[in-house]
Amino acid sequence: MNTQSDVMVVAEVLALHYRIFPTDVYEGPSGTATCNYVAKDGDGRRWFVKAYPEHAALGAERRALELAEFAALGGVPVPVMRRTLDGDLIATDGELAVSVAAFAEGAETAEGGLYGGRWAAVGATVGRIHRTLARHPDGPPRRTPSHEICDVQKGRQHLERLLARWVEHPPSSPFGAWARDTARERLDELPATASMLKALPSTLATQIVHGDLSSLNVMLRGERVAAVIDFRPPMHRSPMWELGRIVLDPRTVLTAPDWPTGLATAVAAYREANPAMPVKDLLTVPRVAAGYLACSVYPLSEPLDDPPAVTLQLEAYGRARHEALGVLCARLDEAEEVLRDRLC
């Protein structure tokens, strides 16, 4: 289908399954695996419509939407889901499957970085998410060996496998060559990474988390969090990994020289919103973030796994992500000292 026919089909599904009669439907910002639309109804309200690909596991997608609704019960700013006339979170019509939520008016993603009051606002929101999801019926928080959270051995396997693939399929672009060389550099530095991670406590908390808490999925109005979107199906992961993923986003680390102070502000706000999280875990945020980045092959693998996904924006993000890892490691002791002074 072309774009115009896609829009027409979406409009028909909204009318048939949701009793939303749109006066306008247009393409919105696309997700990593979805095509998204914005629909305006006769009352002037706008709705965010997520269209899932044919191969999508709709059962898992429903569980992700249910997790968002669960978080909303705890006061997390989640856009209200519009259920179908049958009470379902996803409407299916032929090959098309969609979900519909209220549009976050006047909001922008956190891609512009954290500064000022944004540090505390985001930290408090993540704390509220984790405090709420700790009560999710899929299971309470538990302690997990730290080496399973930042798994250097698994990181080594992923990097070695990626480099072997690069031998079979030599890079055909400047970014591909950079990705291959960066993977080699990461592999060479893994012994240092393992040494750095020895300072972690023997265990860290794991629990149900958002699952994809990137800067793209936190919507801001000025210095306040307007909405948290795109939850993933519930699974146990490190909340400190998730907190670090958003407050130590590579773009923030590279554009905010005072990020250790901002980090401390965010973590202090998190602690106020989620006082059950042990301080010994909160102190690990920068080290866990650095370990995760060092062991990850994303987006170094994208030129091989999904060449069409390698846009100029992804290339810039990949380079920023690698540069931010260096900055994090270089200022790790400073960041932990600032955190300790704030929390202890």
Side-chain angles (χ1 to χ4, degrees), residues 46 75 77 88 113 144 158 174 186 252 269 287 292 298 344:
R46 290 201 291 173
D88 202 341
T144 299
H158 289 165
R186 293 266 184 89
T252 295
R287 198 168 292 262
Y292 169 74
Y298 180 83
C344 300

Side-chain angles (χ1 to χ4, degrees), residues 113-117 119 247-248 251-266 327-328 331 334-335 338-339 342:
L114 302 185
Y115 52 81
W119 287 105
V247 300
L248 293 176
R251 287 157 291 208
T252 295
V253 169
L254 296 179
T255 60
D258 63 340
W259 64 262
T261 301
L263 168 67
T265 298
V327 173
L328 271 175
R331 301 182 68 181
E334 174 193 353
V338 172
L339 257 184
R342 188 69 174 268

Side-chain angles (χ1 to χ4, degrees), residues 31 56 62 98 106 139 155 199 203 322:
R62 282 189 179 89
V98 306
T203 64
H322 184 62

Side-chain angles (χ1 to χ4, degrees), residues 202-249:
S202 59
T203 64
L204 289 169
T206 56
Q207 65 164 81
I208 303 298
V209 295
H210 175 286
D212 190 17
L213 200 62
S214 68
S215 59
L216 286 169
N217 294 332
V218 175
M219 309 295 294
L220 300 162
R221 291 192 192 99
E223 295 189 341
R224 300 184 64 182
V225 176
V228 180
I229 61 175
D230 278 353
F231 284 71
R232 300 314 305 146
M235 65 178 296
H236 274 70
R237 296 195 71 169
S238 164
M240 298 302 95
W241 158 79
E242 183 154 271
L243 176 58
R245 190 166 183 240
I246 182 64
V247 300
L248 293 176
D249 179 275

Side-chain angles (χ1 to χ4, degrees), residues 111 175 251 298-299 309-320:
E111 290 177 282
F175 182 73
R251 287 157 291 208
Y298 180 83
V310 182
T311 62
L312 291 176
Q313 292 82 359
L314 183 74
E315 291 185 18
Y317 175 70
R319 295 176 189 275

Side-chain angles (χ1 to χ4, degrees), residues 36-256:
N36 301 325
Y37 302 87
V38 178
K40 187 176 182 180
D41 66 21
D43 295 325
R45 290 174 299 184
R46 290 201 291 173
W47 302 94
F48 186 80
V49 183
K50 178 184 291 187
Y52 300 96
E54 292 182 29
H55 62 271
L58 296 184
E61 297 295 347
R62 282 189 179 89
R63 296 197 71 210
L65 297 173
E66 290 168 352
L67 186 65
E69 289 192 325
F70 187 90
L73 295 175
V76 178
V78 176
V80 176
M81 296 298 304
R82 175 74 172 240
R83 288 181 176 259
T84 69
L85 298 178
D86 295 329
D88 202 341
L89 284 165
I90 296 178
T92 56
D93 193 299
E95 296 181 351
L96 183 66
V98 306
S99 62
V100 178
F103 188 82
E105 298 287 355
E108 62 179 1
T109 69
E111 290 177 282
L114 302 185
Y115 52 81
R118 290 185 171 191
W119 287 105
V122 170
T125 297
V126 182
R128 193 171 297 115
I129 292 172
H130 291 166
R131 183 190 67 202
T132 302
L133 298 187
R135 301 191 293 271
H136 192 272
D138 273 20
R142 54 179 180 250
R143 305 301 294 184
T144 299
S146 297
H147 68 81
E148 294 182 10
I149 293 171
C150 293
D151 195 331
V152 175
Q153 185 57 38
K154 187 176 293 184
R156 178 180 298 280
Q157 293 171 357
H158 289 165
L159 287 165
E160 288 176 343
R161 191 176 301 122
L162 179 59
L163 287 169
R165 292 175 64 198
W166 278 123
V167 172
E168 295 179 5
H169 306 282
S172 58
S173 69
F175 182 73
W178 176 85
R180 178 200 57 196
D181 295 345
T182 301
R184 287 174 179 162
E185 182 181 338
R186 293 266 184 89
L187 184 61
D188 290 342
E189 292 176 351
L190 275 186
T193 299
S195 179
M196 177 266 292
L197 292 173
K198 287 181 180 178
L200 291 174
S202 59
T203 64
L204 289 169
T206 56
Q207 65 164 81
I208 303 298
V209 295
H210 175 286
D212 190 17
L213 200 62
S214 68
S215 59
L216 286 169
N217 294 332
V218 175
M219 309 295 294
L220 300 162
R221 291 192 192 99
E223 295 189 341
R224 300 184 64 182
V225 176
V228 180
I229 61 175
D230 278 353
F231 284 71
R232 300 314 305 146
M235 65 178 296
H236 274 70
R237 296 195 71 169
S238 164
M240 298 302 95
W241 158 79
E242 183 154 271
L243 176 58
R245 190 166 183 240
I246 182 64
V247 300
L248 293 176
D249 179 275
R251 287 157 291 208
T252 295
V253 169
L254 296 179
T255 60

